[in-house]
Amino acid sequence: MKKRNFETEVVHVGYDSKDHLGSLSTPIYQTSTFTFESAEQGERRFAGEEDGYIYGRLGNPTVSALQERIAALENGEAGLGFATGMAAVSATLIALTKANDHILCSQGLYGCTFGLLTLMEDKYNIKSDFISMDSEEQIREHILPETSCIYVETPINPTMKVIDLEMVARVAKEYDIPVVVDNTFSSPYLQRPLDLGCDIVIHSATKYIGGHGDVVAGLLVGKEEFISEVAMTTQKDIGGAMSPFDAWLLLRGLKTLPIRMERHSQTAETIVDQLKAHPNVKNVYYPFDRDNPDYEIAQKQMKLGAGVIAFEVKGDKKEAQQFLNRLSFLKIAVSLGDAETIIQHPASMTHAVVPEETREKMGISNTLIRMSCGLEAWEDIWNDLEQSLNAVNATEAKM
Ligand SMILES: *Cc1c(COP(=O)(O)O)cnc(C)c1O
């Protein structure tokens, strides 16, 4: 049969109602354990000689349906569900490294990923380097004999810098080093790192995949061999397994991923144009903005720019905070990818743990605002932003 389109797979792949008494919606197998028909069957299951479920932390049919679906959507061999995005990140990095190894990272990682890398250095002497990854030479210069993986986020939060994944994968292949991509900010609808030659994809499914701000979860996709290794070691024994109800919420969220991503992206593009024209705004950051220095790369590897934008309000930190306080219905909150537009102040919230000097180097000033465009009418989002921007102190705004 002809390969079905993404919009169809996102609804169907990995689940057949015929196997579940005709239930159109994937049933939630709310159970902690699974019964064996005989002692011998239990023995065979534990020995891995017979497929089948054993215990909730080792697998669940609702979670399996989601795992199959995300693997197909990312064009990978296998998928694995986790309790949180960070459970997926930690299980992956611990599986890929041993004491004294080295990890080469993109600059500006998710705060808790940065925290985990710090912990791995303190406890196991696993060192990390953070580089811009804007040329093959620069990547080659930083690869060491003990480099065990390359870890990339693109677009980078919150400044929306884009890294050329095909280029990173090409260099990594020369050294036979796996490339891990945190694909949270794009979702598989907009960017598929495995198609670009990368090896492993991670998602905080909390964001676009869930899409409704009601679940915290993580997903991992890669080669069958690597996924089973993680499933049988760093997931099974550390224990960050996904709950069946969360898997059900994500299966439900995924069905509308393509239409949500189209809308999030369309709204973001329009709001970016409005922001750029406003006198009290400077430096607007968005992957699909023509003025973004990485525009060409973004166009090459992403279908659309997604819903997150960042911009600076003229003035100082206080002005930026007052800008947030004056918003009428847009919500001040961290996270992204929800139906609601949510907006935050990275320097004092998501990136507060990063020392000010490093923050400045990453482009995170005290007036930077990050916003995740929701599914509301763009006119209403803009009206709320505009009334608050208009009130930015005009004398301060000269800065
Ligand atoms: C939110 C996020 C994470 C962590 O995911 P949780 O589900 O909160 O554990 C990791 N990476 C990125 C890019 C994120 O935005």
Side-chain angles (χ1 to χ4, degrees):
M1 205 170 107
K2 212 172 148 210
K3 193 178 181 323
R4 295 182 300 196
N5 290 295
F6 189 98
E7 290 82 348
T8 307
E9 293 292 59
V10 86
V11 178
H12 290 282
V13 73
Y15 180 71
D16 190 341
S17 57
K18 285 206 287 292
D19 303 333
H20 300 270
L21 305 172
S23 175
L24 180 69
S25 162
T26 313
I28 304 171
Y29 285 87
Q30 192 67 38
T31 182
S32 60
T33 197
F34 298 83
T35 59
F36 308 128
E37 280 166 18
S38 66
E40 289 76 11
Q41 185 183 51
E43 183 179 14
R44 286 195 302 276
R45 294 247 172 115
F46 269 87
E49 293 160 8
E50 178 187 298
D51 284 343
Y53 296 98
I54 296 175
Y55 179 70
R57 181 158 36 76
L58 314 180
N60 172 285
T62 315
V63 178
S64 292
L66 173 66
Q67 290 174 164
E68 235 182 273
R69 189 160 300 175
I70 191 66
L73 298 177
E74 286 285 4
N75 276 335
E77 287 180 10
L80 200 57
F82 291 85
T84 68
M86 282 316 301
V89 173
S90 56
T92 302
L93 285 177
I94 295 169
L96 287 172
T97 52
K98 58 181 189 321
N100 309 314
D101 273 358
H102 171 251
I103 305 175
L104 187 55
C105 304
S106 58
Q107 227 154 31
L109 293 184
Y110 181 72
C112 300
T113 303
F114 186 80
L116 173 71
L117 292 167
T118 310
L119 184 145
M120 287 168 75
E121 172 159 7
D122 290 350
K123 284 187 178 290
Y124 311 113
N125 193 36
I126 298 168
K127 295 217 160 60
S128 305
D129 272 318
F130 302 88
I131 61 168
S132 59
M133 297 198 183
D134 43 24
S135 75
E136 294 192 16
E137 297 67 42
Q138 187 212 30
I139 298 171
R140 281 196 196 96
E141 270 167 29
H142 286 87
I143 291 177
L144 306 174
E146 61 272 24
T147 303
S148 53
C149 68
I150 298 182
Y151 190 94
V152 184
E153 277 182 32
T154 178
I156 293 179
N157 172 29
T159 48
M160 301 295 120
K161 205 190 131 35
V162 178
I163 290 172
D164 187 337
L165 291 175
E166 220 166 7
M167 184 262 285
V168 175
R170 199 163 55 232
V171 177
K173 284 273 171 318
E174 293 169 16
Y175 298 83
D176 206 20
I177 298 169
V179 178
V180 184
V181 179
D182 182 333
N183 203 25
T184 302
F185 271 59
S186 302
S187 88
Y189 181 62
L190 302 186
Q191 174 174 283
R192 282 184 290 280
L194 303 182
D195 290 354
L196 301 169
C198 301
D199 305 280
I200 295 160
V201 170
I202 292 175
H203 282 284
S204 167
T206 312
K207 318 293 168 51
Y208 286 119
I209 290 178
H212 293 75
D214 50 15
V215 60
V216 177
L219 289 165
L220 174 64
V221 179
K223 287 246 159 42
E224 178 81 52
E225 192 187 343
F226 177 71
I227 297 297
S228 6
E229 182 201 325
V230 172
M232 295 315 290
T233 58
T234 50
Q235 180 178 62
K236 173 173 79 67
D237 300 333
I238 297 176
M242 179 181 281
S243 86
F245 182 62
D246 289 353
W248 184 85
L249 283 171
L250 296 171
L251 282 163
R252 175 161 130 144
L254 265 177
K255 291 182 187 183
T256 55
L257 181 73
I259 51 179
R260 284 188 288 108
M261 294 315 292
E262 294 278 345
R263 174 65 163 265
H264 285 305
S265 305
Q266 217 172 47
T267 299
E269 279 190 36
T270 312
I271 297 288
V272 162
D273 288 340
Q274 300 290 334
L275 284 169
K276 285 170 80 176
H278 198 283
N280 292 341
V281 171
K282 57 176 187 183
N283 296 333
V284 180
Y285 302 101
Y286 186 64
F288 267 39
D289 174 32
R290 271 174 206 288
D291 295 332
N292 186 321
D294 303 322
Y295 177 75
E296 300 290 331
I297 306 171
Q299 290 280 318
K300 189 176 76 162
Q301 68 189 20
M302 297 173 74
K303 188 181 165 80
L304 289 165
V308 178
I309 60 192
F311 58 95
E312 285 176 311
V313 174
K314 287 188 182 168
D316 55 11
K317 177 180 168 189
K318 200 159 176 40
E319 208 56 58
Q321 289 182 318
Q322 282 169 355
F323 160 74
L324 292 180
N325 292 338
R326 278 191 302 266
L327 294 169
S328 80
F329 81 96
L330 301 182
K331 302 286 182 265
I332 306 174
V334 298
S335 196
L336 60 112
D338 300 327
E340 295 81 2
T341 293
I342 51 183
I343 191 161
Q344 61 116 353
H345 182 244
S348 67
M349 296 179 187
T350 48
H351 295 72
V353 293
V354 183
E356 179 149 9
E357 198 187 320
T358 318
R359 254 197 338 255
E360 291 289 340
K361 259 191 250 161
M362 288 164 67
I364 305 170
S365 72
N366 283 330
T367 59
L368 188 76
I369 302 289
R370 187 190 80 186
M371 172 168 138
S372 164
C373 295
L375 301 175
E376 307 97 332
W378 79 263
E379 292 91 340
D380 296 324
I381 300 173
W382 175 243
N383 285 342
D384 201 5
L385 291 172
E386 191 184 31
Q387 61 78 22
S388 185
L389 282 170
N390 288 345
V392 167
N393 187 312
T395 45
E396 288 284 346
K398 290 206 182 69
M399 281 170 67

